[in-house]
Every structure is written in C-alpha cells, then in structure tokens.
Amino acid sequence: MIRMTDIHEAPPEPASIGAEQIEYLEQLARIRLSGEEKERTARDLSKILDYIEMLGELDTEGVDPLSHPVTTEPVFREDKAVNDDRRDAMLRNAPEHKDGCFKVPKTVE
Amino acid sequence: MIEYEAVIGLEVHVELSTESKIFCACPTAFGGAPNTHVCAICSGMPGTLPALNREVLRYAIRAGLATNCEITRDGKFDRKNYFYPDLPKAYQISQLYLPVCRNGRIEIGEGKNKKTIGIHEMHIEEDAGKLVHDPEGNCTLVDYNRCGIPLIEIVSKPDFRSADEVTDYLERLKTTLQYIGVSDCKMQEGSMRADINLSVRPVGREELGTRTEMKNMASLKAISRAIEAETKRQISRISAGKPIKQQTRRWDDDKGVSFSMRSKEDAHDYKYFPEPDLLPLRVSDGMIEEIRREIPELREARRARYIKELGLPEYDADILTSSFPLVRIFERTAGICGNAKEASNWIMTDLLKLLKDEQVAPEDMHFPEDSLGKIIRMTSEGVINRSVGRRVLTELFGSDTDPITYVKDNGLAMVSDQSVIETAVDRAIRENEKAVADYLCGNPKSLQFLIGQAMRHLRGKGDPQSVQKILFEHLEKRR
Ligand SMILES: [Zn+2]
C-alpha cells in the first residue's frame, strides 16, 4: 500500500522525457523496446507532455478539481451472483495453461 | 542500557461477504475449481467495463460507522498500475486520494489498560488472483477466482506498542465486522489478513525509526510471534550499531524467523490516476442514516442485555458475545429450545469444548445453526437423556445430519419401558453382589456404581430417573 506522503516524496517528472526515463518506464511496464523504438517513444511522450502542459497556462484559481468529466449519478449493479463459467474458452486465449490455471513463468516471492 | 519500544501500524485487508464480486456478477464463494468464478470483466478482457456492486459501498460505510469513522461524501476510485501475473488488467481499482472512510477509532484493553487505536482510513479495492508455485513445471499457476472479490483495507495509525495490543485490536475488529455482517473474517480462508509495519525507537523519543513490513499475515498466533521476533531483531541490530533497512520481510512461522524478500525494483511507483471507467461516488446524508439504522446491537450492548434480561452469568455473556457466530448459534438455540440458560449452558460446556478439542474457531464451525437447539429440546422433552444428547452433539459436530433423524435412525431414544429397565437393574444387582452389600451397609457411592452398571446394560439410553427409582426399590427390598 502506498501513502499520500509517498506520492509527495516522488521526484517530479521532467517535462522532457530522456533515455533514462524511458528505461525506467520499460521496467515498470515490463516491456522491451528497441533502440529506435526508445527514441520514438521518448519523442512522442515529450510531445504529449508539452501539449498537456498548455493546461498549466490556465488560471484555475477557485476551480474545484474534477476527477471525471461525466457528472451524472453513479449507476450501481445489484448484488446478484451469476456464474458465467467459461473457463475453457478463456484459457484458450492463454499461451499456456495447466490444471485449469494460467501458466506463467515462475514468479519470485 | 537503552530501553526500546516497538511502534506498529496495521493494514488489515478484509474480504466483504457480498454474494457477487465488486465489478462483475461472478460469485465470491470460497473454493471452486480454479478459474471457474471468472468472467470477461474480472479476467481483464479488453473492452469490458466495471459496474460497482451497490452492497460494496454500503458495507464499507457500515464498517466505517461501526468504527467511528468520518464518511467521505464525494469519493472516487483510482487506478493503481502494476504488472504482475496476479492482476490480469495490470491495474487494481483502489482508492488513494478519497478513501471511503477516515479518522476512526477502536478501543482496546480493559480497565486502566484501556487505549484508543486510531484508524487512519478505510478504502475499497478489488482483490487479486492467487499464484501457486508448480514445482513440477518450475512455473507459476494462476487462479483468478479471487480476482475482483471486494476488499476493504483498514489502515490503522501507528498506535500499537506490543503484539498483545495488535491481537486485541484484531480480535475486536473481527468481532465488530462479524456483528455488522460485512465479513466472515475467516483468517484461515484468507478473508482477513494483515500487513504489519514495525519500527523501534528508544522509549521517549518522538521520531520514528526505519520500518519494515510483513505482508499477508493470516493467523493471530503468527502475527504475535512475528511482531515479537521482528522487534527483537531490530533492537539487536540497532544495539550492535547496524542500520535497519526499509524492506518487506516474509515471516516463516514454522521456522520462527523472517526473511527479507527480494524487492521488486521500483515496486512503489504505481502511477496512480483517477479511474476513468467509474463515476465519482456520492454519498448522501440519507444513505448514511439508512446504513446506520442497519447496524445491529454490538457486543457491549448485547452483553449487557444477556446479563440483565436473560439472567446469564457475566462470564457466560462475555464468552457468548465474543464472536458473532456464537451469538447467532446461541440465539437460534435459545429460540428453538425455549430456554436461554439451558442453551447457554450447553454452549459454554459442550460446544466450546468441542471447538477447543477440534481446534476450530467459531466462525469456521461447520454445524447447522438449529442442530443444538433440536438436541436440547429432545432432552427436555425426554426423547433422549442428557448423556445421549451430549453424544449426539459430539457425533454430529461438523456434519449436516439432522439430530432428530439421527436419533431415530440409530435407535438412541430413551428407554423408559419399565420391564426393560427392570431387567437391566436385575442384572446389575445379580452381577455386583459386593456393591449391593456395600450399599446396604450404608455406602452411597455404591448406588452410583450400580446405576452406571444398569445404564451400561441399557447402552446408555435409560431414563435416568426411572433407572434410579427402580434400582432403589429393588435394593430396599433386600433389606
Ligand atoms: Zn467476473
């Protein structure tokens, strides 16, 4: 679990994404990019950040934070269980399975 | 010699006992073959959308009200991103910025040891799947049945100073949550588990030491042992001038030691952001008041009522109200047999002994709620005698068999046929001349022995009063 304080302690991200940042994101997202992909991703992400930065120019004094653009009342689902067991069909999507379970590389505890 | 104290905080995960999962209609029932309680939503198929189970929000608010929390009026969900096989969506829907409840408290201890433990916050989140190591294939097998089961995480303030305080708090939290019906809190099934944050500091110092975390602890005994061992470990390191590393440790209860877990690099950068697939929550005064009215009589009030209105001894009332499964079975039993004191006696002596012998916690007891009441009623109606009743209880404990059927099928009904009892009494007298002689010389113990012998010939099913009466008459005839 993470606390509010942990969030505040995290270093602010630079507006422009460099190679180091891309490697960090690769690790977090568990993906591997080629050299060319890294460069392109860094360029794209920097552009996206610059674009979003424009919002910083607005004066938001006295404006409440908005967490969702839709303001209607939430719709709930009633607590009724329906067992839609389609395990075999679902497991067919997996590269490997065993004993009704998804089979993945050994995880380190 | 510097004296140290432990500073402990808890994060308790509690599975809510809703019928269906938090964002889909899959059942939450424990067990089930792997991946059979899974649908497109909880397995994270692309293009699916979550729909919040109404009861989850209501249960969380109920838990907050019962622990004196403030309820957040405008809440929302946040997305916690991490990549691990137990999480098919690669994010967990949780609450970071606006948890459903905040600033609660639970009182622990008795008398002058009374103490308030603060609850920092309580938030709603979804459970992850279960990973099982497969030694045969040297791989990991994933079961998503638990994925999407609603949880509340109850984060305490670092107010504990000892293992005893922690177990006291957990017991009380468990009792309260069971009373209000939001969770069964079965630790052995993992529906209540705790993460322990612990640091030590010299007594009197304000500043906190570096803390370690032990995750997913699922037994009170293990929690208590882990806290004691970790406190000792940290104190001995500090005393030896070695630093404490901030790390997650795994407690091995069999070995009685904890190990540092290989820390996943950057494991704490979850890139939280507001969950776009769910609308913000809005909790009205009306909703809070409605939920407040649903909270049943809690332990203290019920205990007082048992003493005052039902006339139970304080000790019995204390034990009976210590766990909601006991409250339920007591009230059901008293209702069926029509005698609260008798119901309490049977539970206090016979049922609790069975639970202890079998090492079963009341919430893990598998025993139909009306069985004990039926057994007591059969004894008070003279269908069976008390010792047969006790035997039926022992034999049916943990079974679904109806006691009335069981008594019938096994011919356990009380023998009150005079001629059958006379035959047994005759035999007891004939075979135990010495005991008869002793009795006639004035040794009352011999009478008990002879009753026992006659009962034995009746295979324990004799009507005790008739046996005693007939035996007495036969013996007196010999004077
Ligand atoms: Zn599902």
Side-chain angles (χ1 to χ4, degrees), chain B residues 162-182:
Chain B
S162 69
D164 285 349
E165 289 181 1
V166 169
T167 45
D168 189 355
Y169 168 85
L170 287 170
E171 293 272 18
R172 286 172 198 252
L173 182 62
K174 181 165 125 179
T175 307
T176 302
L177 296 177
Q178 286 174 341
Y179 264 79
I180 61 174
V182 303

Side-chain angles (χ1 to χ4, degrees), chain A residues 55-76:
Chain A
L55 286 174
E57 292 163 22
L58 292 173
D59 179 12
T60 53
E61 191 65 31
V63 178
D64 283 337
L66 177 75
S67 57
H68 202 284
V70 180
T71 51
T72 52
E73 290 287 317
V75 180
F76 291 104

Side-chain angles (χ1 to χ4, degrees), chain A residues 82 84, chain B residues 21 23-27 37-43 144 147-148:
Chain A
V82 180
D84 175 33
Chain B
K21 290 188 179 179
F23 299 123
C24 64
C26 287
H37 297 169
V38 180
C39 70
I41 295 171
C42 57
S43 65
Y144 290 129
C147 202

